[in-house]
Amino acid sequence: MKKRIIILGSTGSIGTQTLDVISQYPDRFAVVGLSTLGQGEIFLRQIETFSPAVVAVSDEETAAAVRARADLHRTALLTGPDAMTQMIAEWECDLVVAATSGSAGLCPTLEAIRRGRNIALANKETLVKAGQLVMGLARERGVHILPIDSEHNAIFQCMAGQRIEDVRRILITCSGGPFLNHTREQMERATVADALAHPRWRMGPKITIDSATLMNKGLEVIEGHHLFGLDIDRIDVIIHPESIVHSMVEFVDGSVLAQMGPTDMRLPILNCLAWPERLASTMEPLDLCEVGRLTFREPDEERFPALGYAREAARRGGTLPAVLNAANEVAVRSFLDERISFGEIARVIRRVMDSHQTIANPTLEQIEQSDQEARRRAEEYALAR
Ligand code: MG
């Protein structure tokens, strides 16, 4: 029996790599549904190659470009802002890969959990914004949330067969990004091209900038807190420029388990698609002798204030993590559009956080309202620069 898969966000970096993995195991996986937020050309090729039963396209322009090809392949076409949620509600599948970037994936992911579908989660916002709601619902419905993010996938693998009460702390590794050895002044003046030149991972522009500010690690700390049900104070970040150890778990007896592998997102993707099995892969194996040495050091929270802001948001909880995330999205976009400097990203986030009145145990509506308000404020502060 093939595992039936729906991919939310199939044209992004994780989406295309997921399809790349799937195409190598035609007898194991079947693509039921795909969705895009507006990448017509790539999407047309995906429909051609995988002939999914259904596709969801939120914007009308892309939908018009896709319609004829979908008809040709007898693929149902859903359009409009709720297309992804409708696809999840109306089509059967065994696994939903949540790989949209930004907030669009939250509603369809919640719908998938309500329907008892396991989730391979690549979208950080889902847990950062609504971690309590998402994990609460997943527990209630007996749904497994399988993390694609390489660090959480590593922790997930180290945790297999272990008890959470035996964990002393988790150590999330961090490559350090392009500015690991830059001074504060150099970082302040960094250009968009500097910040996009990530030394280890090839990723989309938003997450690459987040890797330069270390906000990506901050968001991962919040993600880990929800995924594994651990206090923020038991989640540490450790700089590991070689990106070979993808994260570690330290147990109460002092044992530390680490997961290692080549720096290739297709590995955690394959791990999630195949779970609870493992499938043989043709990926280049890890050659530790060639790597030679693995180094570790502590992160510098003064040069990378985003890390501390994320911890603070997670500790205070409620709507604050959603606010942090929203302010960060606007600040990163403003930097990419060359409206603010690199150093301003963290300052915009700080100001938005300081102006927010945190609501404890928020509803989804309150989370969305706080998110919108934070975006407005961040735009305002970015414009004032
Ligand atoms: Mg990661």
Side-chain angles (χ1 to χ4, degrees), residues 124 148-152 172-173 201 203 207 211 216-217 220 223 246 265:
K124 289 193 166 73
I148 286 181
D149 205 351
S150 60
E151 293 78 4
H152 303 89
I172 297 183
T173 53
W201 297 96
M203 305 172 290
I207 188 173
S211 302
N216 183 50
K217 247 357 94 168
E220 287 177 357
E223 252 188 305
H246 297 309
M265 282 309 292

mmCIF file of all heavy atoms in Angstrom, residues 124 148-152 172-173 201 203 207 211 216-217 220 223 246 265, ligand 1:
data_model
loop_
_atom_site.group_PDB
_atom_site.id
_atom_site.type_symbol
_atom_site.label_atom_id
_atom_site.label_comp_id
_atom_site.label_asym_id
_atom_site.label_seq_id
_atom_site.Cartn_x
_atom_site.Cartn_y
_atom_site.Cartn_z
ATOM 1 N N LYS A 124 7.378 26.742 10.406
ATOM 2 C CA LYS A 124 7.649 27.122 11.791
ATOM 3 C C LYS A 124 6.501 27.905 12.425
ATOM 4 O O LYS A 124 6.199 27.728 13.602
ATOM 5 C CB LYS A 124 8.902 27.994 11.855
ATOM 6 C CG LYS A 124 10.174 27.242 11.596
ATOM 7 C CD LYS A 124 11.380 28.073 11.984
ATOM 8 C CE LYS A 124 12.606 27.218 12.056
ATOM 9 N NZ LYS A 124 13.131 26.790 10.761
ATOM 10 N N ILE A 148 10.102 18.213 10.215
ATOM 11 C CA ILE A 148 11.029 18.198 9.072
ATOM 12 C C ILE A 148 12.235 19.086 9.352
ATOM 13 O O ILE A 148 13.338 18.788 8.907
ATOM 14 C CB ILE A 148 10.300 18.673 7.778
ATOM 15 C CG1 ILE A 148 9.353 17.575 7.284
ATOM 16 C CG2 ILE A 148 11.308 19.034 6.686
ATOM 17 C CD1 ILE A 148 8.611 17.910 6.005
ATOM 18 N N ASP A 149 12.029 20.154 10.091
ATOM 19 C CA ASP A 149 13.139 21.042 10.443
ATOM 20 C C ASP A 149 14.286 20.157 10.953
ATOM 21 O O ASP A 149 14.073 19.301 11.819
ATOM 22 C CB ASP A 149 12.662 22.009 11.541
ATOM 23 C CG ASP A 149 13.450 23.301 11.545
ATOM 24 O OD1 ASP A 149 14.461 23.379 10.818
ATOM 25 O OD2 ASP A 149 13.058 24.224 12.274
ATOM 26 N N SER A 150 15.486 20.334 10.384
ATOM 27 C CA SER A 150 16.557 19.358 10.622
ATOM 28 C C SER A 150 16.884 19.184 12.106
ATOM 29 O O SER A 150 17.134 18.072 12.561
ATOM 30 C CB SER A 150 17.815 19.757 9.843
ATOM 31 O OG SER A 150 18.260 21.028 10.256
ATOM 32 N N GLU A 151 16.833 20.292 12.867
ATOM 33 C CA GLU A 151 17.177 20.215 14.291
ATOM 34 C C GLU A 151 16.142 19.390 15.056
ATOM 35 O O GLU A 151 16.479 18.530 15.868
ATOM 36 C CB GLU A 151 17.248 21.617 14.903
ATOM 37 C CG GLU A 151 18.382 22.478 14.371
ATOM 38 C CD GLU A 151 18.100 23.073 13.003
ATOM 39 O OE1 GLU A 151 16.974 22.885 12.480
ATOM 40 O OE2 GLU A 151 19.004 23.717 12.444
ATOM 41 N N HIS A 152 14.863 19.670 14.803
ATOM 42 C CA HIS A 152 13.813 18.962 15.540
ATOM 43 C C HIS A 152 13.678 17.534 15.068
ATOM 44 O O HIS A 152 13.336 16.654 15.834
ATOM 45 C CB HIS A 152 12.497 19.726 15.412
ATOM 46 C CG HIS A 152 12.638 21.132 15.893
ATOM 47 N ND1 HIS A 152 13.033 22.134 15.051
ATOM 48 C CD2 HIS A 152 12.518 21.679 17.123
ATOM 49 C CE1 HIS A 152 13.127 23.263 15.743
ATOM 50 N NE2 HIS A 152 12.820 23.011 16.996
ATOM 51 N N ILE A 172 20.063 22.507 20.684
ATOM 52 C CA ILE A 172 19.770 22.779 19.273
ATOM 53 C C ILE A 172 21.028 23.363 18.646
ATOM 54 O O ILE A 172 21.533 24.395 19.101
ATOM 55 C CB ILE A 172 18.581 23.756 19.148
ATOM 56 C CG1 ILE A 172 17.318 23.117 19.739
ATOM 57 C CG2 ILE A 172 18.360 24.151 17.685
ATOM 58 C CD1 ILE A 172 16.067 23.969 19.613
ATOM 59 N N THR A 173 21.541 22.690 17.618
ATOM 60 C CA THR A 173 22.758 23.205 16.989
ATOM 61 C C THR A 173 22.424 24.287 15.962
ATOM 62 O O THR A 173 21.333 24.334 15.421
ATOM 63 C CB THR A 173 23.570 22.088 16.302
ATOM 64 O OG1 THR A 173 22.710 21.382 15.414
ATOM 65 C CG2 THR A 173 24.172 21.143 17.305
ATOM 66 N N TRP A 201 23.576 26.027 4.283
ATOM 67 C CA TRP A 201 22.300 25.550 3.787
ATOM 68 C C TRP A 201 21.801 26.416 2.641
ATOM 69 O O TRP A 201 21.957 27.633 2.665
ATOM 70 C CB TRP A 201 21.233 25.583 4.902
ATOM 71 C CG TRP A 201 21.487 24.694 6.071
ATOM 72 C CD1 TRP A 201 22.062 25.050 7.258
ATOM 73 C CD2 TRP A 201 21.138 23.304 6.210
ATOM 74 N NE1 TRP A 201 22.094 23.975 8.106
ATOM 75 C CE2 TRP A 201 21.537 22.890 7.498
ATOM 76 C CE3 TRP A 201 20.525 22.379 5.364
ATOM 77 C CZ2 TRP A 201 21.347 21.591 7.951
ATOM 78 C CZ3 TRP A 201 20.327 21.083 5.832
ATOM 79 C CH2 TRP A 201 20.743 20.704 7.110
ATOM 80 N N MET A 203 18.494 27.771 1.155
ATOM 81 C CA MET A 203 17.103 27.881 1.620
ATOM 82 C C MET A 203 16.458 29.101 0.983
ATOM 83 O O MET A 203 17.110 29.863 0.291
ATOM 84 C CB MET A 203 17.086 28.037 3.148
ATOM 85 C CG MET A 203 17.816 26.931 3.891
ATOM 86 S SD MET A 203 17.986 27.261 5.652
ATOM 87 C CE MET A 203 19.154 28.608 5.686
ATOM 88 N N ILE A 207 14.055 32.594 5.440
ATOM 89 C CA ILE A 207 14.738 31.777 6.450
ATOM 90 C C ILE A 207 16.251 32.023 6.414
ATOM 91 O O ILE A 207 16.923 31.923 7.449
ATOM 92 C CB ILE A 207 14.382 30.273 6.292
ATOM 93 C CG1 ILE A 207 14.933 29.455 7.460
ATOM 94 C CG2 ILE A 207 14.822 29.722 4.967
ATOM 95 C CD1 ILE A 207 14.483 28.019 7.467
ATOM 96 N N SER A 211 18.465 33.156 9.527
ATOM 97 C CA SER A 211 19.679 32.454 9.947
ATOM 98 C C SER A 211 20.812 33.432 10.203
ATOM 99 O O SER A 211 21.714 33.152 10.985
ATOM 100 C CB SER A 211 20.119 31.448 8.885
ATOM 101 O OG SER A 211 19.085 30.532 8.650
ATOM 102 N N ASN A 216 16.063 32.550 13.351
ATOM 103 C CA ASN A 216 15.677 31.184 12.986
ATOM 104 C C ASN A 216 15.875 30.244 14.175
ATOM 105 O O ASN A 216 15.002 29.420 14.472
ATOM 106 C CB ASN A 216 16.504 30.719 11.780
ATOM 107 C CG ASN A 216 16.096 29.340 11.314
ATOM 108 O OD1 ASN A 216 14.914 29.075 11.120
ATOM 109 N ND2 ASN A 216 17.057 28.452 11.159
ATOM 110 N N LYS A 217 16.995 30.397 14.874
ATOM 111 C CA LYS A 217 17.250 29.547 16.051
ATOM 112 C C LYS A 217 16.269 29.878 17.165
ATOM 113 O O LYS A 217 15.800 28.994 17.880
ATOM 114 C CB LYS A 217 18.666 29.790 16.549
ATOM 115 C CG LYS A 217 19.699 28.713 16.457
ATOM 116 C CD LYS A 217 19.310 27.395 15.936
ATOM 117 C CE LYS A 217 19.572 27.293 14.458
ATOM 118 N NZ LYS A 217 19.466 25.933 13.915
ATOM 119 N N GLU A 220 13.186 28.240 16.468
ATOM 120 C CA GLU A 220 13.343 26.803 16.683
ATOM 121 C C GLU A 220 13.289 26.441 18.167
ATOM 122 O O GLU A 220 12.831 25.356 18.533
ATOM 123 C CB GLU A 220 14.641 26.310 16.043
ATOM 124 C CG GLU A 220 14.528 26.273 14.517
ATOM 125 C CD GLU A 220 15.814 25.860 13.817
ATOM 126 O OE1 GLU A 220 16.838 25.640 14.507
ATOM 127 O OE2 GLU A 220 15.791 25.744 12.578
ATOM 128 N N GLU A 223 9.640 26.370 18.812
ATOM 129 C CA GLU A 223 9.127 25.138 18.195
ATOM 130 C C GLU A 223 9.422 23.919 19.070
ATOM 131 O O GLU A 223 8.541 23.095 19.314
ATOM 132 C CB GLU A 223 9.872 24.910 16.878
ATOM 133 C CG GLU A 223 9.143 25.139 15.605
ATOM 134 C CD GLU A 223 10.008 24.669 14.425
ATOM 135 O OE1 GLU A 223 11.163 25.128 14.290
ATOM 136 O OE2 GLU A 223 9.525 23.836 13.650
ATOM 137 N N HIS A 246 23.036 17.524 13.951
ATOM 138 C CA HIS A 246 21.849 18.341 13.676
ATOM 139 C C HIS A 246 21.088 18.739 14.929
ATOM 140 O O HIS A 246 20.206 19.594 14.857
ATOM 141 C CB HIS A 246 20.965 17.646 12.650
ATOM 142 C CG HIS A 246 21.666 17.499 11.335
ATOM 143 N ND1 HIS A 246 22.283 18.562 10.714
ATOM 144 C CD2 HIS A 246 21.923 16.423 10.569
ATOM 145 C CE1 HIS A 246 22.864 18.146 9.592
ATOM 146 N NE2 HIS A 246 22.663 16.850 9.492
ATOM 147 N N MET A 265 18.569 18.727 3.302
ATOM 148 C CA MET A 265 17.210 18.678 3.850
ATOM 149 C C MET A 265 16.422 17.447 3.392
ATOM 150 O O MET A 265 15.426 17.074 3.999
ATOM 151 C CB MET A 265 16.427 19.946 3.482
ATOM 152 C CG MET A 265 16.754 21.167 4.314
ATOM 153 S SD MET A 265 16.696 20.869 6.099
ATOM 154 C CE MET A 265 14.954 20.583 6.361
HETATM 155 MG MG MG B 1 16.390 24.359 11.107
#
